[in-house]
Amino acid sequence: MNKPVLPDYSNCGLNVASSVLRHFGAPCAHPTHPDVDALLGRKQYKNIVVMLFDGLGMATIADHLPKDSFLASHIARQMTAVFPSTTVAATTSIESGDSPCEHGWLGWSMYFYQIDRMVDVFVNLDSWTGKPMGGDVRVIDQYRPYRNICQRLNATGNVSAHIVSRFGTDRIQTLDEMFDTAAALCGAPGRRYIYTYWGEPDHTMHDQGVMAVGDMVRDIDDRVRSFCQAMGEDTLVLVTADHGLLDCECRYTCDYPELEQALTRPFHIEARAAGFYVKPEYRKVFPQLFDAAFGHDDFWLVSTDAALSMGLLGGGTPRADIREIIGDYIAIATGRYSLAHSREDTALTAMHAGMTAREMYVPLIVAKI
């Protein structure tokens, strides 16, 4: 097996969120980030801005930016992603201050045992039919609600907190709107915590590959530099990512009928962090069936109990139903292969959620102090 890069829950985005929570006097159950603590201790900033660009991992920066570029030259530390190294898990940890095993938002397509349906959680679509799930509340919000960082911070009375994104407290549609909204909030009276999220370069890399986003990454670099130059000395700006990506090839579970016969339903969560629900009579032999199909080199098959005991999904008290949420085993990609159910599934060029260095290493960029 290729050696996995394990998540470091003392040096990841969850710790950045924990530092912000503790700084403003909000309850915080996880370790804070020492570098961020040191920055917050320098002075009383009026504005603390955390910008997250989806997929802008360490490898993405190295691929497309010279060392003297604005973002590359301001990298303070290499952090890891949470696990799974995917947007659903990582941004929810940053937006909640909870670990993945606490919030249970683990991947793009998840099985909900309460309704016996597979759902694409952010867009609230049935994973098999592509049809909307209906209702006024997304399925994941209904069954796995959490208290977001804005609610926690605003409750202290010490700061006004904002999430600037397509689905946040301050909703935007374009990158121009994101930067303009963040700048306007920084200029408004009172202390502010501003978290911004933008879905690129991840989206384009999924479609076109990791080397297709050079112009986009350079544009982000220019925009962040201009934003920081326009901010006063009362504003701290940090930039990070949820994960990186790598170009992948697919392996198909439909090619292995003995493996599929052992399952109660198709795998879920992510193509590179696949959760398997296994029939009781196959649970002991499932590792052998999986290895016979996919080998040892490109996947690390871990039982859910082992994953939890190793802390792969973070610390804290896991949700009472975390085993029902995940299934019996997780197949973690450690090489270039991803899983798909069949050749009819949409194949993405670049992917993430596994434990390769390209996926797991993300920057902590101190863009302005």
Side-chain angles (χ1 to χ4, degrees):
M1 180 183 69
N2 300 306
K3 186 177 181 180
V5 175
L6 300 177
D8 182 352
Y9 288 99
S10 67
N11 181 34
C12 68
L14 175 59
N15 308 111
V16 176
S18 297
S19 289
V20 171
L21 287 166
R22 185 164 296 174
H23 178 71
F24 287 112
C28 170
H30 295 280
T32 59
H33 197 288
D35 289 9
V36 179
D37 291 342
L39 290 167
L40 295 176
R42 288 169 60 97
K43 60 184 177 183
Q44 188 176 41
Y45 289 100
K46 176 182 177 293
N47 305 305
I48 298 169
V49 182
V50 175
M51 293 186 163
L52 188 147
F53 292 93
D54 199 322
L56 194 69
M58 292 292 290
T60 307
I61 291 174
D63 286 342
H64 300 294
L65 293 177
K67 292 182 179 179
D68 62 352
S69 64
F70 185 78
L71 291 175
S73 65
H74 284 79
I75 294 174
R77 180 185 286 238
Q78 176 175 274
M79 303 192 298
T80 75
V82 302
F83 178 75
S85 56
T86 190
T87 305
V88 174
T91 60
T92 304
S93 291
I94 291 174
E95 292 185 20
S96 67
D98 294 333
S99 68
C101 75
E102 292 174 320
H103 57 63
W105 294 49
L106 302 183
W108 181 259
S109 179
M110 299 201 69
Y111 175 71
F112 288 81
Y113 64 90
Q114 298 94 334
I115 57 174
D116 193 28
R117 299 280 290 279
M118 194 101 82
V119 180
D120 294 350
V121 297
F122 274 174
V123 292
N124 204 41
L125 301 177
D126 184 291
S127 299
W128 295 115
T129 67
K131 295 180 179 179
M133 292 298 296
D136 296 329
V137 179
R138 292 184 304 182
V139 169
I140 196 161
D141 292 315
Q142 180 179 356
Y143 292 108
R144 298 173 203 169
Y146 65 85
R147 195 174 186 215
N148 71 35
I149 196 169
C150 291
Q151 295 167 315
R152 295 184 182 196
L153 291 173
N154 290 336
T156 69
N158 298 323
V159 66
S160 176
H162 306 262
I163 297 174
V164 181
S165 72
R166 288 185 63 192
F167 304 104
T169 60
D170 297 70
R171 298 193 174 191
I172 52 92
Q173 295 296 323
T174 68
L175 192 54
D176 284 338
E177 288 178 339
M178 189 191 86
F179 280 103
D180 290 346
T181 301
L185 290 170
C186 286
R191 299 186 73 192
R192 304 274 170 170
Y193 171 69
I194 302 159
Y195 165 79
T196 74
Y197 167 83
W198 186 244
E200 293 283 14
D202 172 86
H203 180 77
T204 299
M205 285 195 283
H206 276 312
D207 288 341
Q208 301 178 30
V210 299
M211 298 309 296
V213 294
D215 290 344
M216 181 179 293
V217 172
R218 288 186 286 274
D219 179 60
I220 289 171
D221 185 70
D222 289 340
R223 287 173 180 267
V224 174
R225 183 188 67 245
S226 297
F227 177 83
C228 291
Q229 290 172 343
M231 292 297 103
E233 297 304 313
D234 59 356
T235 298
L236 172 68
V237 182
L238 306 177
V239 179
T240 190
D242 45 358
H243 56 75
L245 293 89
L246 77 163
D247 292 341
C248 293
E249 298 177 42
C250 264
R251 304 285 301 277
Y252 302 96
T253 59
C254 67
D255 290 341
Y256 304 96
E258 289 186 3
L259 180 78
E260 291 205 322
Q261 184 181 354
L263 304 176
T264 62
R265 59 188 56 85
F267 76 82
H268 73 140
I269 302 180
E270 291 278 356
R272 293 180 58 79
F276 290 95
Y277 294 90
V278 181
K279 296 173 183 176
E281 63 270 27
Y282 285 97
R283 285 175 188 162
K284 287 186 179 180
V285 300
F286 186 74
Q288 288 75 39
L289 293 173
F290 186 88
D291 286 346
F294 300 113
H296 296 277
D297 291 340
D298 293 294
F299 295 95
W300 178 26
L301 187 72
V302 186
S303 72
T304 296
D305 284 343
L308 294 171
S309 66
M310 286 187 286
L312 298 185
L313 285 87
T317 302
R319 290 177 54 99
D321 61 350
I322 192 66
R323 289 167 179 81
E324 288 81 6
I325 285 175
I326 297 171
D328 301 292
Y329 288 92
I330 309 174
I332 304 168
T334 61
R336 72 183 187 279
Y337 289 108
S338 300
L339 295 179
H341 301 104
S342 72
R343 287 165 181 80
E344 284 70 48
D345 290 349
T346 302
L348 300 175
T349 301
M351 302 188 76
H352 54 80
M355 284 189 176
T356 66
R358 286 193 66 97
E359 294 162 285
M360 287 297 296
Y361 287 132
V362 299
L364 175 62
I365 298 169
V366 182
K368 182 176 180 60
I369 56 176

